[in-house]
Amino acid sequence: MKINLKIISASFISSDEKCDALEEKKLVPKMMLRRRLTRGAKIAIYLASKVGYEKERIIFGSAYGEVKATVDIVESIYNKTLLSPTAFQNSVHNTPASYLSILSENQSEVTTVSDLFDTSLSVLKTGAIKALKGDRLLLLNVDAFNFDGVKEMNSYSISKLESGVALIVEVTDEKANISIENIKNSEISPSLWQMLEIYNKSKKLDNPIVEIEI
């Protein structure tokens, strides 16, 4: 089965260590909420603002989840120190999408996908099926794993430790002009490759439409 998705808007951000200029104060005016945000949540909220997110249903993907929060918890247990309630709250995969929903007062469906290096492709396939309902969707894929000890985990020697891609899509009967070729990018986690590929290709087209094979 093949489903064609029209790319309404797209955005991408990445950094070797920490993405700057995420406009937190503008996008999250409440200081208490802003202080609780994880790096992944800040990236997700920023990307959503760039693609014109308007409370659409969300398909959120993260291969590694909130690694830093999890590391903080493990270190507290190991060192027998008091666990941080915020770290505990933020240690789940859907944290960025949840903060985005709270901030936007979104009551629509949120689906979280984690499929290691196939996460990006799984987000696209899940989004394509969900899009058959006829409404627009926000597809988000974020990984932020800049934490002490990342070198031991980073077997791919990825240089960009924070990255995210956002797409606003809707199903269409129009002919596709983008196909997924699984183009590799040595700087970015493989978990984002397919969505990054679509972002790069869509920038060159007036009416980008990608074919997703289910």
Side-chain angles (χ1 to χ4, degrees):
M1 180 180 179
K2 296 179 180 180
I3 301 172
N4 289 353
L5 295 178
K6 179 179 290 188
I7 311 300
I8 307 301
S9 57
S11 186
F12 166 69
I13 192 170
S14 69
S15 175
D16 288 354
E17 294 185 0
K18 187 176 181 180
C19 293
D20 296 320
L22 295 177
E23 303 176 1
E24 295 105 314
K25 290 185 178 180
K26 173 185 174 183
L27 298 174
V28 191
K30 293 183 179 180
M31 184 181 68
M32 291 303 295
L33 178 58
R34 189 167 66 243
R35 289 177 62 184
R36 289 178 174 271
L37 297 178
T38 62
R39 294 300 304 168
K42 291 179 180 180
I43 294 169
I45 291 168
Y46 172 80
L47 288 172
S49 74
K50 292 304 175 184
V51 294
Y53 169 69
E54 295 181 349
K55 302 184 181 182
E56 289 88 357
R57 290 187 293 154
I58 301 170
I59 311 297
F60 174 73
S62 177
Y64 300 97
E66 298 296 338
V67 181
K68 187 179 185 307
T70 304
V71 168
D72 289 345
I73 292 172
V74 172
E75 287 183 342
S76 293
I77 294 172
Y78 179 79
N79 295 318
K80 297 181 180 180
T81 56
L82 188 65
L83 288 175
S84 165
T86 300
F88 184 78
Q89 171 187 309
N90 287 341
S91 63
V92 293
H93 271 68
N94 66 338
T95 293
S98 298
Y99 278 123
L100 175 58
S101 292
I102 292 169
L103 181 65
S104 61
E105 298 181 350
N106 179 19
Q107 298 182 20
S108 299
E109 174 187 4
V110 177
T111 302
T112 302
V113 177
S114 184
D115 196 9
L116 196 54
F117 295 152
D118 290 327
T119 295
S120 189
L121 187 59
S122 292
V123 168
L124 290 165
K125 289 183 176 182
T126 303
I129 294 171
K130 296 283 188 180
L132 292 174
K133 185 176 178 180
D135 55 332
R136 292 185 176 184
L137 300 176
L138 170 63
L139 308 186
L140 264 174
N141 195 357
V142 174
D143 269 310
F145 44 94
N146 183 13
F147 63 95
D148 293 340
V150 67
K151 290 182 179 180
E152 286 76 12
M153 185 186 100
N154 192 3
S155 58
Y156 273 72
S157 298
I158 298 161
S159 62
K160 304 294 184 182
L161 296 182
E162 291 191 350
S163 300
V165 186
L167 308 172
I168 295 285
V169 303
E170 65 182 8
V171 73
T172 181
D173 292 328
E174 296 178 68
K175 184 178 179 181
N177 50 21
I178 296 175
S179 60
I180 298 175
E181 302 173 80
N182 293 312
I183 297 174
K184 297 181 180 180
N185 186 318
S186 60
E187 295 185 332
I188 305 293
S189 169
S191 58
L192 285 94
W193 281 354
Q194 289 86 0
M195 283 183 64
L196 178 57
E197 178 184 343
I198 291 172
Y199 166 80
N200 288 330
K201 290 180 176 180
S202 68
K203 292 190 300 180
K204 303 174 184 178
L205 300 169
D206 293 329
N207 185 35
I209 298 171
V210 60
E211 180 184 84
I212 307 296
E213 186 168 356
I214 306 302

Short mmCIF file of all heavy atoms in Angstrom, two decimals, residues 16-72:
data_model
loop_
_atom_site.label_atom_id
_atom_site.label_comp_id
_atom_site.label_asym_id
_atom_site.label_seq_id
_atom_site.Cartn_x
_atom_site.Cartn_y
_atom_site.Cartn_z
N ASP A 16 26.11 20.75 16.99
CA ASP A 16 27.10 19.80 17.51
C ASP A 16 26.85 19.48 18.98
O ASP A 16 26.99 18.34 19.40
CB ASP A 16 28.51 20.38 17.35
CG ASP A 16 28.96 20.40 15.91
OD1 ASP A 16 28.24 19.87 15.04
OD2 ASP A 16 30.03 20.96 15.63
N GLU A 17 26.49 20.50 19.75
CA GLU A 17 26.29 20.29 21.18
C GLU A 17 24.91 20.78 21.65
O GLU A 17 24.16 20.02 22.24
CB GLU A 17 27.39 20.99 21.97
CG GLU A 17 28.77 20.38 21.73
CD GLU A 17 29.83 21.00 22.62
OE1 GLU A 17 29.50 21.90 23.41
OE2 GLU A 17 31.00 20.59 22.51
N LYS A 18 24.59 22.05 21.39
CA LYS A 18 23.37 22.63 21.92
C LYS A 18 22.78 23.61 20.92
O LYS A 18 23.44 24.57 20.54
CB LYS A 18 23.67 23.34 23.25
CG LYS A 18 22.46 23.85 23.99
CD LYS A 18 22.90 24.44 25.32
CE LYS A 18 21.69 24.95 26.11
NZ LYS A 18 22.11 25.54 27.41
N CYS A 19 21.55 23.36 20.50
CA CYS A 19 20.88 24.27 19.57
C CYS A 19 20.61 25.60 20.25
O CYS A 19 20.02 25.64 21.35
CB CYS A 19 19.55 23.67 19.08
SG CYS A 19 19.75 22.19 18.05
N ASP A 20 21.04 26.67 19.61
CA ASP A 20 20.84 28.00 20.17
C ASP A 20 19.63 28.68 19.53
O ASP A 20 19.07 28.19 18.54
CB ASP A 20 22.09 28.86 19.93
CG ASP A 20 23.31 28.32 20.67
OD1 ASP A 20 23.13 27.87 21.82
OD2 ASP A 20 24.42 28.33 20.10
N ALA A 21 19.26 29.83 20.10
CA ALA A 21 18.20 30.68 19.54
C ALA A 21 16.89 29.91 19.33
O ALA A 21 16.27 29.98 18.27
CB ALA A 21 18.66 31.31 18.23
N LEU A 22 16.48 29.16 20.36
CA LEU A 22 15.23 28.40 20.27
C LEU A 22 14.02 29.22 20.72
O LEU A 22 12.91 28.68 20.80
CB LEU A 22 15.33 27.12 21.12
CG LEU A 22 16.38 26.09 20.63
CD1 LEU A 22 16.43 24.91 21.58
CD2 LEU A 22 16.06 25.64 19.21
N GLU A 23 14.23 30.48 21.03
CA GLU A 23 13.15 31.43 21.31
C GLU A 23 12.27 30.98 22.48
O GLU A 23 11.06 31.17 22.48
CB GLU A 23 12.29 31.65 20.05
CG GLU A 23 13.09 32.13 18.86
CD GLU A 23 12.26 32.27 17.60
OE1 GLU A 23 11.04 32.00 17.65
OE2 GLU A 23 12.83 32.64 16.55
N GLU A 24 12.90 30.40 23.50
CA GLU A 24 12.13 29.88 24.64
C GLU A 24 11.29 30.94 25.34
O GLU A 24 10.13 30.70 25.67
CB GLU A 24 13.07 29.24 25.68
CG GLU A 24 13.81 28.01 25.20
CD GLU A 24 15.26 28.31 24.90
OE1 GLU A 24 15.51 29.33 24.24
OE2 GLU A 24 16.12 27.53 25.34
N LYS A 25 11.88 32.11 25.57
CA LYS A 25 11.14 33.16 26.30
C LYS A 25 9.93 33.65 25.51
O LYS A 25 8.89 33.98 26.10
CB LYS A 25 12.07 34.32 26.62
CG LYS A 25 13.11 33.98 27.68
CD LYS A 25 13.93 35.20 28.06
CE LYS A 25 14.94 34.86 29.15
NZ LYS A 25 15.75 36.03 29.55
N LYS A 26 10.06 33.69 24.22
CA LYS A 26 8.95 34.10 23.37
C LYS A 26 7.88 33.02 23.28
O LYS A 26 6.68 33.29 23.39
CB LYS A 26 9.46 34.45 21.97
CG LYS A 26 8.36 34.74 20.96
CD LYS A 26 8.95 34.94 19.57
CE LYS A 26 7.86 35.08 18.52
NZ LYS A 26 8.45 35.21 17.14
N LEU A 27 8.30 31.79 23.09
CA LEU A 27 7.37 30.68 22.87
C LEU A 27 6.79 30.12 24.16
O LEU A 27 5.69 29.56 24.16
CB LEU A 27 8.07 29.56 22.10
CG LEU A 27 8.57 29.92 20.69
CD1 LEU A 27 9.37 28.78 20.10
CD2 LEU A 27 7.38 30.27 19.77
N VAL A 28 7.54 30.25 25.27
CA VAL A 28 7.09 29.73 26.56
C VAL A 28 7.20 30.87 27.58
O VAL A 28 8.16 30.94 28.36
CB VAL A 28 7.93 28.52 27.00
CG1 VAL A 28 7.28 27.84 28.21
CG2 VAL A 28 8.10 27.52 25.87
N PRO A 29 6.23 31.76 27.60
CA PRO A 29 6.33 32.94 28.48
C PRO A 29 6.29 32.64 29.97
O PRO A 29 6.81 33.40 30.77
CB PRO A 29 5.13 33.80 28.05
CG PRO A 29 4.19 32.85 27.38
CD PRO A 29 5.04 31.81 26.75
N LYS A 30 5.66 31.52 30.36
CA LYS A 30 5.58 31.18 31.78
C LYS A 30 6.90 30.57 32.24
O LYS A 30 7.30 29.50 31.79
CB LYS A 30 4.43 30.21 32.04
CG LYS A 30 3.05 30.83 31.79
CD LYS A 30 1.95 29.85 32.12
CE LYS A 30 0.57 30.47 31.90
NZ LYS A 30 -0.53 29.53 32.21
N MET A 31 7.56 31.29 33.17
CA MET A 31 8.91 30.89 33.58
C MET A 31 8.95 29.50 34.20
O MET A 31 9.87 28.71 33.94
CB MET A 31 9.47 31.91 34.57
CG MET A 31 10.91 31.63 34.98
SD MET A 31 11.56 32.81 36.16
CE MET A 31 10.56 32.42 37.61
N MET A 32 7.98 29.16 35.03
CA MET A 32 7.99 27.87 35.71
C MET A 32 7.91 26.71 34.72
O MET A 32 8.59 25.69 34.89
CB MET A 32 6.84 27.79 36.72
CG MET A 32 7.01 28.71 37.91
SD MET A 32 8.55 28.40 38.82
CE MET A 32 8.27 26.75 39.42
N LEU A 33 7.10 26.88 33.69
CA LEU A 33 7.02 25.85 32.66
C LEU A 33 8.31 25.82 31.85
O LEU A 33 8.84 24.74 31.55
CB LEU A 33 5.82 26.11 31.73
CG LEU A 33 5.65 25.13 30.56
CD1 LEU A 33 5.51 23.70 31.07
CD2 LEU A 33 4.45 25.52 29.71
N ARG A 34 8.83 26.98 31.53
CA ARG A 34 10.05 27.06 30.73
C ARG A 34 11.22 26.37 31.43
O ARG A 34 12.04 25.72 30.81
CB ARG A 34 10.37 28.53 30.44
CG ARG A 34 11.50 28.73 29.44
CD ARG A 34 11.56 30.17 28.97
NE ARG A 34 11.93 31.11 30.02
CZ ARG A 34 11.15 32.09 30.47
NH1 ARG A 34 9.93 32.27 29.95
NH2 ARG A 34 11.55 32.90 31.42
N ARG A 35 11.29 26.52 32.76
CA ARG A 35 12.39 25.92 33.52
C ARG A 35 12.33 24.40 33.54
O ARG A 35 13.34 23.73 33.76
CB ARG A 35 12.38 26.46 34.95
CG ARG A 35 12.79 27.93 35.06
CD ARG A 35 12.70 28.42 36.49
NE ARG A 35 13.61 27.67 37.38
CZ ARG A 35 13.67 27.87 38.70
NH1 ARG A 35 12.87 28.74 39.28
NH2 ARG A 35 14.52 27.17 39.42
N ARG A 36 11.16 23.84 33.34
CA ARG A 36 10.99 22.39 33.37
C ARG A 36 11.32 21.73 32.03
O ARG A 36 11.48 20.50 31.96
CB ARG A 36 9.55 22.03 33.76
CG ARG A 36 9.22 22.31 35.22
CD ARG A 36 7.77 21.98 35.51
NE ARG A 36 7.47 22.11 36.93
CZ ARG A 36 7.60 21.16 37.83
NH1 ARG A 36 8.01 19.96 37.44
NH2 ARG A 36 7.30 21.36 39.09
N LEU A 37 11.40 22.50 30.98
CA LEU A 37 11.56 21.93 29.65
C LEU A 37 12.88 21.19 29.48
O LEU A 37 13.93 21.67 29.88
CB LEU A 37 11.46 23.02 28.58
CG LEU A 37 10.14 23.79 28.47
CD1 LEU A 37 10.25 24.86 27.40
CD2 LEU A 37 8.99 22.84 28.17
N THR A 38 12.82 20.04 28.85
CA THR A 38 14.02 19.32 28.45
C THR A 38 14.56 19.93 27.16
O THR A 38 13.88 20.73 26.50
CB THR A 38 13.70 17.85 28.19
OG1 THR A 38 12.76 17.76 27.11
CG2 THR A 38 13.10 17.19 29.42
N ARG A 39 15.76 19.53 26.79
CA ARG A 39 16.30 19.99 25.51
C ARG A 39 15.42 19.52 24.35
O ARG A 39 15.15 20.28 23.42
CB ARG A 39 17.72 19.46 25.33
CG ARG A 39 18.75 19.99 26.28
CD ARG A 39 18.88 21.49 26.18
NE ARG A 39 19.19 21.92 24.82
CZ ARG A 39 19.13 23.18 24.40
NH1 ARG A 39 18.76 24.14 25.24
NH2 ARG A 39 19.42 23.49 23.15
N GLY A 40 14.95 18.29 24.42
CA GLY A 40 14.07 17.78 23.37
C GLY A 40 12.79 18.57 23.27
O GLY A 40 12.30 18.85 22.16
N ALA A 41 12.23 18.96 24.40
CA ALA A 41 10.99 19.73 24.41
C ALA A 41 11.21 21.11 23.80
O ALA A 41 10.38 21.61 23.03
CB ALA A 41 10.45 19.85 25.83
N LYS A 42 12.33 21.74 24.13
CA LYS A 42 12.61 23.06 23.57
C LYS A 42 12.75 23.00 22.05
O LYS A 42 12.24 23.87 21.33
CB LYS A 42 13.90 23.62 24.18
CG LYS A 42 13.77 23.99 25.66
CD LYS A 42 15.08 24.51 26.22
CE LYS A 42 14.94 24.87 27.69
NZ LYS A 42 16.20 25.38 28.27
N ILE A 43 13.41 21.96 21.57
CA ILE A 43 13.57 21.79 20.12
C ILE A 43 12.23 21.53 19.46
O ILE A 43 11.90 22.11 18.41
CB ILE A 43 14.55 20.65 19.82
CG1 ILE A 43 15.96 21.02 20.31
CG2 ILE A 43 14.58 20.33 18.33
CD1 ILE A 43 16.94 19.87 20.30
N ALA A 44 11.41 20.67 20.06
CA ALA A 44 10.10 20.34 19.50
C ALA A 44 9.20 21.57 19.44
O ALA A 44 8.52 21.81 18.42
CB ALA A 44 9.43 19.24 20.34
N ILE A 45 9.17 22.35 20.49
CA ILE A 45 8.33 23.56 20.53
C ILE A 45 8.81 24.57 19.50
O ILE A 45 8.00 25.19 18.80
CB ILE A 45 8.35 24.17 21.95
CG1 ILE A 45 7.61 23.25 22.92
CG2 ILE A 45 7.74 25.56 21.96
CD1 ILE A 45 7.80 23.59 24.38
N TYR A 46 10.11 24.71 19.37
CA TYR A 46 10.67 25.63 18.37
C TYR A 46 10.30 25.19 16.96
O TYR A 46 9.84 25.99 16.14
CB TYR A 46 12.19 25.69 18.52
CG TYR A 46 12.88 26.46 17.44
CD1 TYR A 46 12.93 27.85 17.47
CD2 TYR A 46 13.50 25.80 16.38
CE1 TYR A 46 13.58 28.56 16.47
CE2 TYR A 46 14.14 26.50 15.37
CZ TYR A 46 14.18 27.88 15.42
OH TYR A 46 14.82 28.58 14.42
N LEU A 47 10.49 23.92 16.65
CA LEU A 47 10.19 23.42 15.30
C LEU A 47 8.71 23.55 14.98
O LEU A 47 8.33 23.90 13.86
CB LEU A 47 10.63 21.96 15.18
CG LEU A 47 12.13 21.70 15.13
CD1 LEU A 47 12.42 20.21 15.20
CD2 LEU A 47 12.74 22.30 13.86
N ALA A 48 7.86 23.26 15.98
CA ALA A 48 6.42 23.39 15.77
C ALA A 48 6.04 24.83 15.40
O ALA A 48 5.18 25.07 14.54
CB ALA A 48 5.66 22.95 17.02
N SER A 49 6.69 25.78 16.04
CA SER A 49 6.42 27.19 15.73
C SER A 49 6.86 27.54 14.32
O SER A 49 6.22 28.37 13.65
CB SER A 49 7.12 28.10 16.74
OG SER A 49 8.52 28.16 16.53
N LYS A 50 7.92 26.93 13.85
CA LYS A 50 8.46 27.24 12.53
C LYS A 50 7.61 26.66 11.39
O LYS A 50 7.62 27.19 10.28
CB LYS A 50 9.91 26.73 12.41
CG LYS A 50 10.89 27.48 13.29
CD LYS A 50 10.86 28.97 13.00
CE LYS A 50 11.75 29.77 13.93
NZ LYS A 50 11.63 31.22 13.70
N VAL A 51 6.90 25.59 11.66
CA VAL A 51 6.07 24.99 10.60
C VAL A 51 4.61 25.44 10.67
O VAL A 51 3.77 24.99 9.90
CB VAL A 51 6.13 23.44 10.61
CG1 VAL A 51 7.53 22.97 10.27
CG2 VAL A 51 5.68 22.88 11.96
N GLY A 52 4.31 26.34 11.61
CA GLY A 52 2.95 26.86 11.70
C GLY A 52 1.97 25.91 12.35
O GLY A 52 0.81 25.83 11.96
N TYR A 53 2.44 25.20 13.38
CA TYR A 53 1.59 24.25 14.09
C TYR A 53 0.36 24.94 14.69
O TYR A 53 0.47 25.97 15.34
CB TYR A 53 2.43 23.60 15.20
CG TYR A 53 1.64 22.79 16.19
CD1 TYR A 53 1.05 21.59 15.83
CD2 TYR A 53 1.51 23.22 17.51
CE1 TYR A 53 0.34 20.85 16.75
CE2 TYR A 53 0.81 22.47 18.44
CZ TYR A 53 0.22 21.29 18.05
OH TYR A 53 -0.48 20.55 18.96
N GLU A 54 -0.80 24.36 14.44
CA GLU A 54 -2.07 24.92 14.93
C GLU A 54 -2.94 23.82 15.54
O GLU A 54 -4.07 23.59 15.11
CB GLU A 54 -2.82 25.62 13.79
CG GLU A 54 -2.08 26.85 13.25
CD GLU A 54 -2.85 27.55 12.15
OE1 GLU A 54 -3.85 26.96 11.65
OE2 GLU A 54 -2.46 28.66 11.77
N LYS A 55 -2.42 23.15 16.51
CA LYS A 55 -3.15 22.13 17.26
C LYS A 55 -3.54 20.91 16.43
O LYS A 55 -4.53 20.24 16.70
CB LYS A 55 -4.39 22.73 17.94
CG LYS A 55 -4.09 23.87 18.90
CD LYS A 55 -5.34 24.35 19.60
CE LYS A 55 -5.04 25.51 20.54
NZ LYS A 55 -6.22 25.99 21.26
N GLU A 56 -2.74 20.63 15.39
CA GLU A 56 -2.98 19.40 14.64
C GLU A 56 -2.63 18.18 15.49
O GLU A 56 -1.92 18.31 16.50
CB GLU A 56 -2.10 19.38 13.37
CG GLU A 56 -2.50 20.36 12.29
CD GLU A 56 -1.85 21.73 12.46
OE1 GLU A 56 -1.12 21.91 13.47
OE2 GLU A 56 -2.05 22.60 11.61
N ARG A 57 -3.11 17.03 15.10
CA ARG A 57 -2.68 15.80 15.74
C ARG A 57 -1.16 15.65 15.56
O ARG A 57 -0.61 16.09 14.55
CB ARG A 57 -3.40 14.60 15.15
CG ARG A 57 -4.89 14.54 15.52
CD ARG A 57 -5.51 13.23 15.07
NE ARG A 57 -5.55 13.14 13.61
CZ ARG A 57 -5.55 12.00 12.93
NH1 ARG A 57 -5.48 10.84 13.56
NH2 ARG A 57 -5.61 12.01 11.61
N ILE A 58 -0.53 15.03 16.54
CA ILE A 58 0.93 14.94 16.56
C ILE A 58 1.39 13.49 16.48
O ILE A 58 0.89 12.63 17.22
CB ILE A 58 1.51 15.57 17.83
CG1 ILE A 58 1.12 17.05 17.94
CG2 ILE A 58 3.03 15.44 17.87
CD1 ILE A 58 1.45 17.66 19.30
N ILE A 59 2.34 13.23 15.59
CA ILE A 59 3.08 11.98 15.60
C ILE A 59 4.51 12.34 15.99
O ILE A 59 5.21 13.02 15.23
CB ILE A 59 3.08 11.28 14.23
CG1 ILE A 59 1.67 11.20 13.64
CG2 ILE A 59 3.70 9.89 14.36
CD1 ILE A 59 0.70 10.39 14.45
N PHE A 60 4.92 11.93 17.18
CA PHE A 60 6.23 12.31 17.68
C PHE A 60 7.14 11.10 17.77
O PHE A 60 6.75 10.05 18.27
CB PHE A 60 6.12 12.95 19.07
CG PHE A 60 7.45 13.23 19.71
CD1 PHE A 60 8.24 14.27 19.26
CD2 PHE A 60 7.93 12.41 20.72
CE1 PHE A 60 9.48 14.52 19.83
CE2 PHE A 60 9.18 12.66 21.31
CZ PHE A 60 9.95 13.71 20.85
N GLY A 61 8.36 11.26 17.27
CA GLY A 61 9.32 10.17 17.31
C GLY A 61 10.63 10.56 17.97
O GLY A 61 11.12 11.68 17.79
N SER A 62 11.17 9.65 18.75
CA SER A 62 12.49 9.84 19.36
C SER A 62 13.11 8.47 19.58
O SER A 62 12.52 7.63 20.26
CB SER A 62 12.40 10.59 20.68
OG SER A 62 13.67 10.71 21.29
N ALA A 63 14.28 8.26 19.02
CA ALA A 63 14.93 6.96 19.17
C ALA A 63 15.44 6.76 20.59
O ALA A 63 15.36 5.66 21.15
CB ALA A 63 16.09 6.84 18.19
N TYR A 64 15.97 7.82 21.18
CA TYR A 64 16.65 7.69 22.46
C TYR A 64 15.85 8.26 23.63
O TYR A 64 16.17 8.00 24.79
CB TYR A 64 18.01 8.40 22.40
CG TYR A 64 18.91 7.83 21.34
CD1 TYR A 64 19.01 8.43 20.08
CD2 TYR A 64 19.65 6.68 21.57
CE1 TYR A 64 19.82 7.90 19.10
CE2 TYR A 64 20.47 6.14 20.60
CZ TYR A 64 20.56 6.76 19.36
OH TYR A 64 21.36 6.23 18.40
N GLY A 65 14.83 9.05 23.35
CA GLY A 65 14.04 9.62 24.42
C GLY A 65 14.83 10.64 25.22
O GLY A 65 15.80 11.23 24.74
N GLU A 66 14.43 10.82 26.47
CA GLU A 66 15.07 11.82 27.33
C GLU A 66 16.25 11.19 28.07
O GLU A 66 16.19 10.88 29.25
CB GLU A 66 14.04 12.39 28.30
CG GLU A 66 12.89 13.10 27.62
CD GLU A 66 13.35 14.35 26.87
OE1 GLU A 66 14.43 14.89 27.20
OE2 GLU A 66 12.63 14.79 25.96
N VAL A 67 17.34 11.01 27.32
CA VAL A 67 18.50 10.30 27.85
C VAL A 67 19.10 11.04 29.05
O VAL A 67 19.47 10.42 30.06
CB VAL A 67 19.57 10.11 26.76
CG1 VAL A 67 20.76 9.34 27.32
CG2 VAL A 67 18.99 9.37 25.58
N LYS A 68 19.23 12.36 28.94
CA LYS A 68 19.86 13.11 30.03
C LYS A 68 19.09 12.97 31.34
O LYS A 68 19.68 12.78 32.40
CB LYS A 68 19.99 14.59 29.67
CG LYS A 68 20.79 15.38 30.70
CD LYS A 68 20.93 16.83 30.32
CE LYS A 68 21.84 17.55 31.32
NZ LYS A 68 21.44 17.38 32.72
N ALA A 69 17.75 13.06 31.26
CA ALA A 69 16.94 12.90 32.48
C ALA A 69 17.13 11.50 33.06
O ALA A 69 17.22 11.33 34.28
CB ALA A 69 15.47 13.16 32.16
N THR A 70 17.19 10.51 32.20
CA THR A 70 17.38 9.13 32.65
C THR A 70 18.75 8.96 33.30
O THR A 70 18.89 8.30 34.34
CB THR A 70 17.22 8.15 31.48
OG1 THR A 70 15.93 8.34 30.87
CG2 THR A 70 17.34 6.72 31.94
N VAL A 71 19.78 9.56 32.68
CA VAL A 71 21.13 9.50 33.24
C VAL A 71 21.16 10.17 34.62
O VAL A 71 21.78 9.65 35.56
CB VAL A 71 22.14 10.17 32.29
CG1 VAL A 71 23.49 10.37 32.99
CG2 VAL A 71 22.33 9.33 31.03
N ASP A 72 20.48 11.30 34.75
CA ASP A 72 20.43 11.99 36.05
C ASP A 72 19.82 11.10 37.13
O ASP A 72 20.29 11.07 38.27
CB ASP A 72 19.62 13.28 35.93
CG ASP A 72 20.35 14.35 35.13
OD1 ASP A 72 21.57 14.22 34.92
OD2 ASP A 72 19.69 15.32 34.70
#
